[in-house]
């Protein structure tokens, strides 16, 4: 009946980006600053804690214990302790803990990392005592029962183990840690399925571990959104039972310092490909091992993109751009005393191989200084931003802060980290990259090992030169398989002798390729090639008559492989090999680590090596450094012509650029309009990735020639009184722009004065000024007293508005009246992209900690000062005073917007409205100061790509918007008086459909008023609201809704069962039919008997009938919404009106009428069966009958008018003889009638009833065939007669509806708006009657012309008599 635009998402939005010319250019980086997000630390009852009292209604509390996998005593202990969090304690059961947390609206969580176990909760601020007590119980009173361990904990751990089996990324990361750190940090984050955790996990052992982990020195408490003093108080009260130190009879938690080893591990897997290259990284800031240059190096390398649809512009992103199927990212994993800088690659194995080579080259380039200074500056800025962003993240900040308190007694403070990163120089970054290449690398490969490279193949050394001796047999096309010796090392001894003067030896003729018999003594033979500089070693080992056997399939089973370690002795003559000398004779040099079996024959200068074992020997660092592999010139080595060497081309030579613009235009000109062409290899990612940095439209750091990074504007400069008025009006326009949906970066935050107030974050109200270093008494009073007070009040008003909107759900609005709307996609918990409000504060604080009274005092001082200034012209002084008074009243109104005193709140907003005419009439005095506002401030708030233009709202538009806002704010408080569920629904429905639509703040305020303190209007429970609605529609004065049912506690009492079932109905409306059947035995309902012969029983199904009524009502709203938003094409209007109106039971209006008549029948039967009819019973039944009568009348009027318009539209679009509407939707590849019909039915596809019409049914019911002109005229007259009759009935019923009393129509609080809407529908009926009469006259008058030459039809545009009822204007030509 009434438009409801708020139900819809907007279908149109104007996007305007201001573009500028592109002259000669330079680019600078956007500066980044961080706000103070530091923690306040303390100690309570021996427990270290930290807190940040962030503004907001919620709190997050966490316990961080030194109980991660690094510190666990046995495998699975960290995970077991995590899973036991919030299980049964000696005070509460796990069920009770869950139910209590749910009742308080809280959320419990627990997880563990490699070093820490984190358990905590998120909850409303006022529930801090309960959840603090709960954490105290978890720490000291957990039961650790056997049934919970086996039925819940171990079962869940094993399910997690199965998920890890297919996760190659996690396998690679665990492998990298294991290779890098061995034990401690090398322990896998989650135990694998091969770990026998059941041998270690027992309830007793877990309980003992918890006593050590939850000892006071081993954990800390961290809170966000809690007062420091209050947290200290509750910790002192609820953590008294925590042990002061770990029990002495239990093994202590080992805190051995981490040691980096490095190495390589390769794991075959067919579930994906992952490769991680890692180096020693930076530890945590609080642990004494922090290296800021590593963080900068991580950002410099990059790999991952931070720009949507762009591959990124970091060094690795540019270097691996050709490897599109390999995803590269760089991270520094920091721990308390160590760190791991990881470069992860995932995707196609061949692309990973190519990307890994590029990574090493980039590292070499950085260490060699071949990197632009600008890249390093960008990396420093990015590292600082990522660090500060992680600190702002509440979840990350909790663990970092808690770990710092436990490990070193210091909280992780963002300010110190930012300063350390800012101090990184270019030399430090180069030195850090060089040290990584010189040291030991960690390489972990998981996936297709045939393609994934070894570390040595890409130029990395997983073992340092002091720890390794690697014999290389090099060949460009050589299949290498790795096998481990499956034998005992007892009694084995290898003796190697080097003699470089001997000629190449003869091949050793072993028994077979599966076994190698060792003779009593064999000499080491060397092959030396002076031309190529190659050195190849073939070792023959010595054993005491034993045979060394290799597995048949060297690459197959992991179960038969193990490392063979044996002592190695060698007789080494003094010889120069490469750059190292060997000084050893008769000493044990190290241990045999591995043997690599080469199964392919290779020709080397006439020497054929059939089978050889390459030995990897770990030598003692204090004995020798041996390099046995030199660079090889592949062109000088003789090779098999069937296997030519692979040569790497220069990158520049591989790129062949060709201009295809002409070819593209030629091909595009052959396409039809609307034809779609899709190339599967050129996706949106590639298209958007082509957009360039250094484009003024895409890069916020772009500077045109001669442009400065920031404007030279002095916020303390003297201003005229007229300029003060102009500044106030400009700020008001920007404030209204923010209310309209523009982000702050394009509106209020473009003001230099507001930016100076908010940045850095003021600690006191005195610091909220334009110039914090000014000397008292020397400043301009007009600027620093009057305009400052106005700006501070504006910011505080925005703070109240922001907090109100942030606590409610809000959705995208429809079309806007403004000429521009630039949507800045931000994130919000209740908002989708392109929202109608942008909540991002860009790391600013809206003076949240300052109360209203202090700011009102500033306004009073400004008013008093202005009124004393006789030197200011009267008109100018009047303008300033008017604006200060308006701001004073607006601040008072928004500060108390949840005051449920209806008259008081309406009066406050009406007082604001009274000043608006004075504001408008004093506008000519204002003199704008455009230089006080600049879009360049965006560069300090965020690196915004693309940049957003500054919004310029005309003062007239801002004044009109403010007038509507004040009017809507005053009207919204009419909802406070509760008269019933239908009254509230009608008020919200009509209020939200006002034109122009209420602003986002007003809509959220309406939500807050209705659901104040989780009660309807602060007084009525949600259950009572549902019960009132049920009583008004289907169950007047029924026992099912008797409030006394809830007072019965005896389970056998029928009223108790009724109360339980009705509570379930409130929670699960979709199961209403089953509840109806189950409740019959308690209510004694008797069915209606249909027909004497069949005697079919018909039951009332009151709960199902109530739910079905609202389903039909929502369907009706959705259909009508399509008309309001002009979604339907002209040739669809007839079908959509037919579906909404026709008398078939499958259509909405008819089904609604039939359903209401059925409900009316059963209510009347219950009224007749009621023996004792008290006055209260009669009143309730009377209210129900009244509601049903009004609803039936409305449904009938809707049906008749929809039928009339359906016939009219059928005539307009269906008769080829008339062809009055010529702009029918053409058949194009992306739109057909069948596809559009499927699209219209999509919202209702999940419904079983009412049945949806198929396209054939709908098209057949609304199409008119033509045989000849005479028959067309007869058909037209017949259709027009039906439409005329339906319009008359509809008009009569709408007029009767408009004459109802407000109480009967359920519109007491919105009577004026409701009656205006009904009058608009009556006007639409009259217009429809006129159109029908005009058409009948044209058809009945003989003229001999085509009807399209006689009649003119104009479809309504944006303006129509009513949004739901589109009546075309028909006139004679």
């Amino acid at each position: 009946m009434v438009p409801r635009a708020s139900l819809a998402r907007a279908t149109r939005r104007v996007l305007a980006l201001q573009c500028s010319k592109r002259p000669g250019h330079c680019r600078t980086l956007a500066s980044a600053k961080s706000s103070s997000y530091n923690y306040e630390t303390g100690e309570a009852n021996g427990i270290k804690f930290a807190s940040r009292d962030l503004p907001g209604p919620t709190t997050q509390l966490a316990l961080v214990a030194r109980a991660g996998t690094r510190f666990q005593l046995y495998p699975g202990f960290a995970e077991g302790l995590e899973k036991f969090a919030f299980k049964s304690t000696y005070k509460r059961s796990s069920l009770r803990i869950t139910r209590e947390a749910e009742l308080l609206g809280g959320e419990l969580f627990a997880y563990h990392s490699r070093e820490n176990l984190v358990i905590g909760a998120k909850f409303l601020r006022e529930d801090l005592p309960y959840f603090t007590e709960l954490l105290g119980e978890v720490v000291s009173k957990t039961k650790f029962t056997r049934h919970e361990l086996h039925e819940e904990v171990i079962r869940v751990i094993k399910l997690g183990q199965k998920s890890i089996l297919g996760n190659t990324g996690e396998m690679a990361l665990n492998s990298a840690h294991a290779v890098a750190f061995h034990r401690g940090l090398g322990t896998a984050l989650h135990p694998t399925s091969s770990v026998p955790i059941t041998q270690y996990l027992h309830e007793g052992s877990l309980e003992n571990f918890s006593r050590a982990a939850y000892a006071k020195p081993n954990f800390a408490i961290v809170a966000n959104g809690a007062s420091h003093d209050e947290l200290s108080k509750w910790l002192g009260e609820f953590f008294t039972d925590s042990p002061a130190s770990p029990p002495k009879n239990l093994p202590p938690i080992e805190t051995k310092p981490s040691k980096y080893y490095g190495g390589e591990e390769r794991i075959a897997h067919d579930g994906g490909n992952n490769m991680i290259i890692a180096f020693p990284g930076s530890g945590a800031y609080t642990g004494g091992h922090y290296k800021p240059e590593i963080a900068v190096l991580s950002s410099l390398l990059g790999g991952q993109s931070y720009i949507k649809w762009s591959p990124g512009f970091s060094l690795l992103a540019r270097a691996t751009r050709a490897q599109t199927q390999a995803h590269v990212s760089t991270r520094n994993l920091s721990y308390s005393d160590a760190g791991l800088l990881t470069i992860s690659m995932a995707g196609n194995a061949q692309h990973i191989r190519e990307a890994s080579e590029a990574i090493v080259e980039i590292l070499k380039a950085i260490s060699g200084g071949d990197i632009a200074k600008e890249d390093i500056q960008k990396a420093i800025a990015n590292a600082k931003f990522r660090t500060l962003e992680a600190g702002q993240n509440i979840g990350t900040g909790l663990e970092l802060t808690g770990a710092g308190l436990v490990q070193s007694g210091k909280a992780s403070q963002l300010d110190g980290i930012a300063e350390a990163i800012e101090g990184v120089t270019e030399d430090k970054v180069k030195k850090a990259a060089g040290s990584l290449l010189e040291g030991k690398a960690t390489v972990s490969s998981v996936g297709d090992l045939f393609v994934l490279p070894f570390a040595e193949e890409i130029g990395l050394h997983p073992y340092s030169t002091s720890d390794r001796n690697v014999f290389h047999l090099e060949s460009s096309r050589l299949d290498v398989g790795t096998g481990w010796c499956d034998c005992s090392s007892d009694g084995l001894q290898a003796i190697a002798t080097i003699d470089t003067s001997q000629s190449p030896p003869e091949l050793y003729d072993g028994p077979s390729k599966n076994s190698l018999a060792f003779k009593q003594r064999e000499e080491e033979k060397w092959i030396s090639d002076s031309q190529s500089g190659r050195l190849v070693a073939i070792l023959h080992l010595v054993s005491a008559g034993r045979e060394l056997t290799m597995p048949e399939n060297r690459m197959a089973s992991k179960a038969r492989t193990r490392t063979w370690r044996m002592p190695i002795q060698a007789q080494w003559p003094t010889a120069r090999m490469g750059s190292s000398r060997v000084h050893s004779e008769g000493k044990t040099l190290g241990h045999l680590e591995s043997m690599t079996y080469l199964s392919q024959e290779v020709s080397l200068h006439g020497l054929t090596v059939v089978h050889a074992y390459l030995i990897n020997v770990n030598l003692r660092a204090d004995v020798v450094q041996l390099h046995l592999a030199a660079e090889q010139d592949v062109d000088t080595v003789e090779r098999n012509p069937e296997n030519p060497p692979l040569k790497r081309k220069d990158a520049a030579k591989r790129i062949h650029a060709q201009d295809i613009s002409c070819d593209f235009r030629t091909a595009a000109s052959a396409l039809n309009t609307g034809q779609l062409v899709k190339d599967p290899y050129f996706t949106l990612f590639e298209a958007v990735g082509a957009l360039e940095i250094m484009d003024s439209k895409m890069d916020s750091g772009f500077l045109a020639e001669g442009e400065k990074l920031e404007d030279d504007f002095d916020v303390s400069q003297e201003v005229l009184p007229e300029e003060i008025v102009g500044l106030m009006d400009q700020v008001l326009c920007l404030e209204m722009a923010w209310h309209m949906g523009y982000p702050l970066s394009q509106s209020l935050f473009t003001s230099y004065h507001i930016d100076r107030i908010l940045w850095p974050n003021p600690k006191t109200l005195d610091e909220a000024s334009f110039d914090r270093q000014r000397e008292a008494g020397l400043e301009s009073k007009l600027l620093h007293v009057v305009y400052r007070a106005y700006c501070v009040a504006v910011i505080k008003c925005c703070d109240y508005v922001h907090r109100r909107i942030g606590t409610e759900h809000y959705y995208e609005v429809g079309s806007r009246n403004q000429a521009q709307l630039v949507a800045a996609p931000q994130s919000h918990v209740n908002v989708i992209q392109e929202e109608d409000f942008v909540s991002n504060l860009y790391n600013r604080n809206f003076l949240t900690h300052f109360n209203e009274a202090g700011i009102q005092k500033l306004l009073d001082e400004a008013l008093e000062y202005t009124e004393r200034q006789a030197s200011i012209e009267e008109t100018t002084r009047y303008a300033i005073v008017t604006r200060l008074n308006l701001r004073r009243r607006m601040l008072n109104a928004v500060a108390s917007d949840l005051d449920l005193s209806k008259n008081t709140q309406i009066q406050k907003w009406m007082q604001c409205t009274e000043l608006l005419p004075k504001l408008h009439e004093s506008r000519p005095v204002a003199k704008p100061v455009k230089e006080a506002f600049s879009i360049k401030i965006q560069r300090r708030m965020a690196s915004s790509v693309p940049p957003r233009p500054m919004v310029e709202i005309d003062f007239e538009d801002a004044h009109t918007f403010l007038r509507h806002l004040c009017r809507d704010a005053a009207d919204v408080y009419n909802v406070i008086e509760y008269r019933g569920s239908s009254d509230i629904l009608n008020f919200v429905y009509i209020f939200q459909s006002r034109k122009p639509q209420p602003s986002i703040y007003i809509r959220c305020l309406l939500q807050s008023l209705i659901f104040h303190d989780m009660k309807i209007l602060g007084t009525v429970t949600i259950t009572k609201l549902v019960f009132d609605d049920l009583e008004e529609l289907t169950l007047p004065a029924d026992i099912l809704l008797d409030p006394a049912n809830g007072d019965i506690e005896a389970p056998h009492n029928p009223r108790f069962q009724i109360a339980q079932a009705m509570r379930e109905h409130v929670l699960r409306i979709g199961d209403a039919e089953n509840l109806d059947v189950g409740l019959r035995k308690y209510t004694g309902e008797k069915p209606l008997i249909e027909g004497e012969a069949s005697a079919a029983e018909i039951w009332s199904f009151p709960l199902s009938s109530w739910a079905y009524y609202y389903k039909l009502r929502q369907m009706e709203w959705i259909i009508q919404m399509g008309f309001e938003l002009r979604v339907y094409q002209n040739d669809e209007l007839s079908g959509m009106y037919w579906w909404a109106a026709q008398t078939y039971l499958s259509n909405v209006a008819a089904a609604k009428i039939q359903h209401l008549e059925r409900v009316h029948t059963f209510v009347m039967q219950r009224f007749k069966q009621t023996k004792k009819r008290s006055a209260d019973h009669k009143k309730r039944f009377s209210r129900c009958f009244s509601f049903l009568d009004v609803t039936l009348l409305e449904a009938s009027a809707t049906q008749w008018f929809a039928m009339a318009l359906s016939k009219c539209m059928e005539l307009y679009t269906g008769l080829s003889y008339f062809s009055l509407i010529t702009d029918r939707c053409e058949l194009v590849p992306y739109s057909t009638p069948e596809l559009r019909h499927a699209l219209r039915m999509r919202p209702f596809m999940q419904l079983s009833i009412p049945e949806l019409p198929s396209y054939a049914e709908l098209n057949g019911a609304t199409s008119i065939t033509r045989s000849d002109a005479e028959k067309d005229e007869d058909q037209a007259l017949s259709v027009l007669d039906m439409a005329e009759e339906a319009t008359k009935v509809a008009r009569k019923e709408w007029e009767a509806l408009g004459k109802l009393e407000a109480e009967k129509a359920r519109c007491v609080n919105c009577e004026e708006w409701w009656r205006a809407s009904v009058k608009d529908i009556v006007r639409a009926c009259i217009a429809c009657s006129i159109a029908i009469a005009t058409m009948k006259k044209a058809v009945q008058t003989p003229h001999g012309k085509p009807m399209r030459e006689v009649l003119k039809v104009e479809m309504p545009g944006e303006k129509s008599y009513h949004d739901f009822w589109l009546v075309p204007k028909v006139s004679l030509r």
Side-chain angles (χ1 to χ4, degrees), residues 578-734:
S579 60
S580 301
R581 287 186 174 275
V582 180
H583 302 281
S584 178
E585 184 165 339
K587 296 183 178 180
T588 301
L589 302 181
H591 290 83
L592 182 65
E593 280 288 320
S594 61
M595 303 183 71
T596 303
Y597 183 79
L598 308 180
S599 60
Q600 178 174 330
E601 297 184 5
V602 58
S603 177
L604 298 174
H605 287 266
L607 174 66
T608 302
V609 181
V610 182
H611 304 295
Y613 284 91
L614 304 189
I615 312 300
N616 181 7
V617 182
N618 276 351
L619 301 177
R620 282 170 43 187
D622 59 336
V623 175
V624 67
Q625 290 188 354
L626 183 62
H627 295 277
L628 296 180
E631 288 293 332
Q632 171 188 353
D633 184 355
V634 297
D635 293 333
T636 62
V637 181
E638 295 181 4
R639 299 189 182 280
N640 191 329
E642 296 181 359
N643 297 323
L646 298 177
K647 296 184 179 180
R648 177 179 294 276
K649 296 182 179 180
D650 183 71
K653 296 180 180 179
R654 295 198 303 268
I655 300 175
H656 177 62
Q658 182 179 358
D659 188 356
I660 62 170
S661 301
C662 294
D663 296 337
F664 179 79
R665 292 192 187 97
T666 303
S669 63
L671 299 177
N672 298 324
T673 303
Q675 184 176 353
L676 300 181
V677 178
K678 177 173 173 51
D679 182 358
Y681 299 102
F682 190 79
T683 64
L684 184 61
F685 185 88
E686 283 79 16
V688 180
L691 299 176
E692 297 180 359
I693 296 295
M694 291 293 294
D695 187 334
S696 60
K697 299 185 296 296
M698 296 301 296
D699 188 357
S700 63
F702 174 87
L703 293 180
E705 186 176 8
E707 183 185 4
K708 295 182 179 180
L709 180 62
E710 295 186 6
D711 295 325
D712 297 328
F713 179 77
D714 184 7
V715 294
S716 299
Q717 68 184 16
E718 293 287 341
V719 290
L720 299 174
E722 293 78 7
E723 291 178 330
I724 291 292
V725 179
L727 287 170
M728 288 179 172
D729 287 350
Q730 286 175 282
V731 169
L732 177 65
C733 291
L734 295 175

Side-chain angles (χ1 to χ4, degrees), residues 70-71 114-116 176-177 180-186 255-261 279-291 294 331-342 400 403 407:
R70 172 184 177 179
F71 302 111
R114 296 189 186 275
E115 288 192 310
N116 306 305
H177 278 82
F181 299 110
H182 291 185
R183 297 184 181 274
L185 289 175
T255 58
K256 182 180 179 181
S258 299
K259 179 182 177 182
Y260 179 85
Y261 294 92
F279 304 95
S282 169
Y285 179 72
T286 57
H289 297 79
Y290 182 66
K291 302 174 184 177
I294 295 296
R331 293 174 59 198
N332 177 62
L333 306 175
S334 58
Y335 303 103
S336 60
D337 59 353
L340 195 64
L341 178 65
T342 63
L400 287 175
Q407 302 290 347

Side-chain angles (χ1 to χ4, degrees), residues 303-314:
Q304 65 273 40
S305 174
Y306 297 110
I307 304 174
K308 194 174 184 180
W309 307 119
S310 170
F313 300 94
S314 62

Side-chain angles (χ1 to χ4, degrees), residues 793-794 796-797 800 852-853 855-856 859-860 884-899 904-905 907-909 911-912 973 1001:
V794 168
K796 192 60 182 177
C797 284
Y800 286 123
E852 177 204 357
I855 298 174
Q856 290 285 12
L859 290 172
D860 292 339
L884 290 174
N885 277 323
L886 175 62
R887 184 55 55 184
R888 193 173 184 276
R889 294 179 183 182
M890 287 184 63
L891 179 59
N892 185 27
V894 296
S896 58
D897 58 3
L898 280 189
D899 185 359
T904 303
Q905 291 302 110
Q907 183 181 5
K908 289 180 180 180
W909 285 105
Q911 288 175 350
C912 295
Y973 289 95
Y1001 167 67

Side-chain angles (χ1 to χ4, degrees), residues 1013-1033:
D1013 291 338
M1014 291 307 296
K1015 289 187 177 181
I1016 306 302
L1017 304 177
T1019 57
V1020 180
T1021 63
I1022 296 178
T1023 301
K1024 177 171 172 48
L1025 179 75
V1026 176
F1027 282 9
D1028 287 351
D1029 205 74
L1030 281 165
E1031 184 177 42
E1032 194 171 45
L1033 181 63

